[in-house]
Amino acid sequence: MNRQRPYSIQKYFIALTILTGWLLSACTSNFDEINTDPNRIEKISPGTLLNPIIYELASFNTLRSDEFTFDLLQVSLPFPSVSGGVHRYDISENAGGSTWNTYYRWITNIREMQTAAVTAEDPNYQAIALTLNAWVYSLLTDGFGDVPMTEAGKGEEKIFQPAFDTQEYIYTTILKDLETANDLFDPSRSMIYGTDILYANNVSNWQRFCNSLRLRLLLRVMKRNPETVQTALVTMLSNPDTYPVFTKNTEAAVLKITGVTPNVSPWGRAVDFTNARAAAEFFVDNLNQFNDPRRPIFLTQARSSDGKTTIGYKGIPSGYAGGESQFDFLPSNLNVNLVKTDAGPMQSVMMTYAEVEFIKAELAQKEIFGEDAQVHYENGVKAAIEQWGAVLPADYFANEYTQYDGTLDRIMLQKYYALFFNDYQQWFEYRRTGLPKLPKGEDMRNNGIMPVRFRYPTTVQTNNAANYKIAVEKMGGDNINTKVWWEK
């Protein structure tokens, strides 16, 4: 049985229409037509599209973390789940369809925002548009591999079947764009086109997001061009005044979902977040070994089979064989409060400060930059715990399972928890490092091999067949085991 997630993305559009009297335009995912909206104003300011872009992409990514990443990376799984399912590496042909459609729709709007910023000669909005475009394209190409970029979203130019760009070209482009954006940011200049919902017009924090994102992406492709990438990383981290990155949680790119229209939860009903699911054994067992203060924030307690007695935090294995009757208890579930807004803002994670510290820890562990990996490791753990409102116990690192042991395995295990609810990042980082080491259930599909990409949507195969075939030939296939450029 599949969990049902009511999709409430249109709520922002409805509210925005009421408030401003116009609808956003979007080009279709297969690039074969341009929608004409008579209610849409002809000219926009650089800030007109910013909040809808932030909200729609962040909330969509939160949904996808729940619907896909949680199952694939053993955070949770459907329960009961008698056969199939993402947690068994049973990935459908159109598993990435909504990702493709949503990202391309908002890439078009980001481009329109950038055009307006150039026209207004406003460098901060230009830089924000470049940052958001790099962020979305990184998610898109890391999910699929080669994708249209140069010719994408150009229906007005009669390009309805765009060519695919290689992932190498896309990464080269967006990394250069992030460097350009960093140079454009001017904290002394105010953002005058409304108040953005992510940073409330704090230009310095936007710049930190830009450079923190660049760290993430440089690390991801370091295997392909070690010398050049390592030089870029060292240059950035050696010059924090020129390349500021996140230094505390309040600077991180985490959208607070307040519940006040139009900034509403992606879940129509919070209960649907926990319906027909259980927490995964791997996710729960590590937190138990850590004696981690995030447990009551992330999880409910398991109960006896009659539901009358709590028995601590206990999950079930991903990829299990047989029916659910084999479990003589009711497993822990994810905490419904994670997606409720009445007890405080819900978090829609774009990029965290903890991730930056774990990047620094890895670079120090590999002797690329810095000397004390333990300091950055502990900073990352502390930030990840405090991000969710928990307090780091004084003896947390005295535990043999949490103390830094000099290995990348230990860094990546804690980074896995720091990437909780962060779009596809747990999946991407597992593909980059093979960590953390995940157990394999008895009923895994795909020969027990972690899928490394989405297949191209069937609409792309049909409506852009010629370019699709060229891309597939270059990549070496269109299946869930076809590695993307930075994995090879």
Side-chain angles (χ1 to χ4, degrees), residues 226-238:
E227 185 175 343
T228 300
V229 170
Q230 289 177 25
T231 297
L233 286 165
V234 170
T235 298
M236 288 185 68
L237 294 174
S238 299

Side-chain angles (χ1 to χ4, degrees), residues 182-392:
N182 178 64
D183 292 339
L184 284 170
F185 277 114
D186 182 359
S188 68
R189 179 168 177 161
S190 299
M191 294 173 61
I192 62 173
Y193 301 103
T195 303
D196 79 82
I197 58 175
L198 180 62
Y199 283 130
N201 295 4
N202 187 318
V203 176
S204 294
N205 281 345
W206 274 109
Q207 187 176 20
R208 292 185 183 98
F209 177 31
C210 167
N211 289 308
S212 299
L213 177 62
R214 188 167 174 234
L215 288 181
R216 171 198 282 177
L217 302 185
L218 284 168
L219 183 65
R220 190 153 294 160
V221 301
M222 187 167 65
K223 175 183 174 182
R224 299 299 301 174
N225 196 344
E227 185 175 343
T228 300
V229 170
Q230 289 177 25
T231 297
L233 286 165
V234 170
T235 298
M236 288 185 68
L237 294 174
S238 299
N239 297 279
D241 291 337
T242 303
Y243 300 101
V245 297
F246 299 146
T247 61
K248 52 188 174 183
N249 281 333
T250 55
E251 297 169 350
V254 178
L255 177 63
K256 302 297 185 182
I257 305 291
T258 62
V260 178
T261 304
N263 190 9
V264 296
S265 169
W267 283 268
R269 300 182 309 166
V271 69
D272 292 309
F273 173 67
T274 56
N275 182 44
R277 84 181 320 157
E281 190 174 71
F282 175 81
F283 186 78
V284 176
D285 285 356
N286 281 305
L287 289 174
N288 283 335
Q289 288 185 323
F290 300 163
N291 193 24
D292 199 285
R294 289 169 289 189
R295 282 179 298 178
I297 298 171
F298 290 170
L299 303 164
T300 64
Q301 290 200 44
R303 292 171 291 156
S304 57
S305 57
D306 61 9
K308 294 181 179 179
T309 307
T310 58
I311 56 175
Y313 299 99
K314 189 174 182 179
I316 58 175
S318 288
Y320 65 87
E324 69 276 5
S325 61
Q326 65 186 287
F327 305 109
D328 60 355
F329 63 95
L330 301 177
S332 292
N333 201 338
L334 295 184
N335 191 334
V336 70
N337 288 332
L338 290 166
V339 300
K340 293 174 70 175
T341 59
D342 53 1
M346 168 191 160
Q347 297 190 34
S348 194
V349 181
M350 299 165 69
M351 186 172 182
T352 66
Y353 159 54
E355 182 179 351
V356 170
E357 288 294 340
F358 284 118
I359 290 171
K360 291 179 178 180
E362 180 177 344
L363 294 175
Q365 189 269 339
K366 292 179 176 178
E367 299 182 348
I368 294 171
F369 181 82
E371 297 179 355
D372 201 334
Q374 180 176 344
V375 169
H376 294 300
Y377 165 81
E378 293 183 358
N379 286 346
V381 173
K382 183 175 186 290
I385 288 174
E386 292 180 347
Q387 175 192 332
W388 293 98
V391 177
L392 181 76

Side-chain angles (χ1 to χ4, degrees), residues 64-85:
R64 292 302 291 156
S65 183
D66 168 49
E67 295 167 343
F68 185 81
T69 312
F70 281 1
D71 288 8
L72 193 63
L73 269 293
Q74 300 192 22
V75 173
S76 64
L77 62 154
F79 185 71
S81 175
V82 178
S83 63

